[in-house]
């Protein structure tokens, strides 16, 4: 094929693809424009996950009618005039591409009026075709209405994720901007429902409370460090408040949300050794640097940045975070964090023991068919005869994490958390064919969730009810737990609910398609007694008895071992009383 210059229309669609990847990217560009226009109030309305409609209205400076056609032209911006300016960008936009790109892949209407003029203008763009400019009576500010996104690019439409995922992306984005711009009143409506509304009074902790609930907002630690001409402010979670993924780690650089893995690593290093493996903090950190120290022009959607001196930035973040963590000294208590390192225990369980052939074989009996990480029915059956454990005599607890017990055939070390998971799981499953007995809470517990999690939960209320969790909607992003499964008696209802929604990876289809047993396993994991909890001897004995009566006591519902067995035979050999010397 010979080389041809692409037709303008094709070229502009290719360029659009870089800026407008999905509905959330449209929301991002329009929101940034409104912020650049100095708006103090911004309303975002979305229908059908943004495929039907995305409308962003602001009370900012507006576009002069005579400039509206320019505003929707490619590479037309009011924010930059020379190449030199690229190194001192103070606005969120500067590429002059967004409106042109969005207009080329949707039916877009731009409505705008400036303070100086009595009338505003209306300009429609459909699949890149700019219509006639009309005068219109409007309030000061701008409305950009984007309908039928990708209607002219069916292939793009097909690549979008489920509506649920796209909606979550949008609310995650808007909530982050709400956190970064507490002085702007931001409202998000999806399908006629208000998901988020900040009051614009500038109090960031109030926004946090809106997003995560008052409980969490109160626990978050304030970060504030200023050095030379750079600063880090915002909030991080204390070590007791974590999530199972990095999704709640947020950074803003000079007012712009960026997703930078190196920055997250710097943050995680500041928490180093303070968090359990696989747990991540929540954070919303705003970093301000001299504009010339950041290159924002490396990515069409401006989601990545390059620092002139990355190491200085990382170290600034780390110092700020460390300082906030240290300044916060919790009430001393003999708790998980005190016991967690458990150096002694690691020595006791000498790897040589653990790895001895016998032990491994015994364990693998129960483990074989559990490679997928969850007990298939076949596995449960197969593990039955050999998997059962004999009656045990409790010796005690080690390191606030393990039970030591004696059986007729040697010593058992039992992981209390894994064991409790197994016990709860089997009780649950046993009750399941009928309805699960639930226990009314004397006082219904209110749980507030971030909008994206709330979406997930709304859809699953029936399913949860069948699992004995009676929960109802109780205002925007707020739910009221009225009853929890009786087998959880005494456990935190909020934890059980969080377990259901928290651990979804971004693109995972919500519960509906998930096996019920996996949901149950996950809930059990959350409510089971943690390593680090000192148990009374009655509690220890009860756990042992419960475990003995399980069908598959040797593994937790996720397939990890609940116990290590050291047979008398093995002990004798290890002590050189018998066999190999
Ligand atoms: P950029 O933001 O990179 O300049 P855009 O295509 O997003 O490019 O916008 C083009 C121009 O339209 C902006 O430079 C600005 O002058 C004007 N504009 C867009 N949205 C708004 C708005 N909400 N309020 C005022 N002016 C706007
Ligand atoms: Mg812009």
């Amino acid at each position: 094929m010979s080389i041809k210059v692409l037709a303008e229309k094709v070229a502009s669609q290719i360029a659009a693809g870089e800026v407008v990847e999905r509905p959330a990217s449209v929301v991002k560009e329009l929101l940034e424009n409104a912020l650049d226009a100095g708006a103090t109030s911004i309303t975002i309305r979305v229908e059908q996950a943004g495929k039907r409609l995305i409308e962003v209205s602001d009370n900012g400076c507006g576009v002069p009618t005579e400039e509206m056609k320019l505003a929707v032209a490619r590479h037309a911006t009011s924010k930059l005039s020379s190449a030199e300016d690229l190194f001192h960008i103070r606005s969120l936009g500067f590429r002059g591409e967004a409106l042109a790109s969005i207009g080329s892949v949707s039916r877009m209407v731009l409505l705008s009026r400036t303070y100086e003029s009595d009338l505003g203008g209306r300009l429609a763009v459909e699949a890149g075709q700019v219509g006639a400019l009309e005068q219109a009576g409007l309030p000061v500010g701008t409305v950009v209405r984007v309908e039928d996104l990708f209607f002219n690019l069916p292939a793009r439409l097909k690549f979008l994720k489920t509506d649920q995922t796209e909606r979550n992306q949008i609310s995650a984005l808007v909530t982050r901007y709400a956190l970064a711009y507490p002085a702007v009143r931001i409202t998000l409506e999806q399908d006629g429902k208000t998901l988020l509304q900040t009051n614009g009074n500038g109090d960031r902790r109030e926004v946090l409370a809106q997003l995560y609930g008052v409980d969490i907002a109160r626990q978050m630690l304030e970060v504030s460090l200023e050095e030379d001409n750079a600063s880090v402010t915002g909030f991080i979670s204390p070590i007791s408040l974590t999530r199972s993924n990095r999704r709640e780690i947020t950074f803003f650089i000079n007012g712009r949300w960026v997703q930078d893995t190196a920055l997250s690593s710097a943050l995680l290093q500041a928490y180093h050794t303070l968090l359990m493996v696989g747990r991540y903090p929540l954070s919303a950190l705003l970093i301000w640097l001299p504009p010339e120290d950041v290159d924002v022009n490396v990515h069409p959607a401006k989601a990545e940045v390059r620092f002139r001196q990355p190491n200085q930035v990382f170290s600034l973040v780390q110092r700020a975070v460390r300082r906030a963590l240290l300044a916060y000294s919790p009430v001393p208590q003999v708790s998980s964090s005190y016991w967690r390192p458990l150096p002694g225990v690691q020595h006791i369980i000498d790897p040589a023991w653990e790895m001895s052939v016998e032990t491994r074989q015994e364990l693998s009996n129960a483990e074989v068919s559990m490679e997928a990480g969850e007990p298939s029915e076949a596995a449960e059956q197969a593990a039955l005869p050999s998997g059962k454990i004999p009656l045990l005599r409790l010796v005690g607890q080690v390191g606030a994490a393990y039970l030591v017990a004696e059986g007729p055939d040697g010593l058992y070390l039992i992981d209390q958390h894994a064991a409790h998971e197994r016990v709860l799981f089997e009780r649950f499953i046993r009750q399941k064919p009928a309805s699960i007995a639930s226990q009314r809470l004397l006082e219904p517990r209110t749980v507030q969730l971030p909008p994206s999690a709330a979406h997930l939960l709304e859809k699953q209320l029936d399913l949860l009810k069948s699992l004995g969790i009676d929960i109802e909607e109780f205002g925007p992003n707020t739910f009221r737990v009225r009853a929890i499964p009786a087998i959880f008696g005494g456990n935190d209802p909020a934890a059980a609910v969080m377990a259901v929604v928290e651990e979804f990876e971004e693109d995972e289809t919500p519960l509906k398609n998930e096996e019920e047993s996996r949901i149950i396993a996950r809930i059990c994991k959350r409510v089971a007694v943690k390593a680090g909890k000192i148990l009374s001897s009655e509690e220890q004995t009860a756990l042992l008895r419960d475990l003995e009566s399980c069908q598959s006591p040797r593994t937790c519902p996720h397939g990890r071992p609940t116990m290590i067995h050291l047979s008398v035979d093995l002990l004798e050999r290890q002590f050189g009383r018998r066999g190999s010397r």
Side-chain angles (χ1 to χ4, degrees), residues 29 33 79 98:
E29 294 296 335
N33 279 351
K79 300 167 193 174

Side-chain angles (χ1 to χ4, degrees), residues 29 32-33 36 79 93-94 98 302:
E29 294 296 335
E32 289 191 345
N33 279 351
D36 277 344
K79 300 167 193 174
F94 57 87
K302 298 163 287 181

Side-chain angles (χ1 to χ4, degrees), residues 33-34 37 58 61-63 71 76-79 93-100 142:
N33 279 351
D58 68 59
C61 65
V63 187
T77 175
S78 57
K79 300 167 193 174
F94 57 87
R95 299 170 63 105
E97 272 184 328
L99 290 184
T142 303

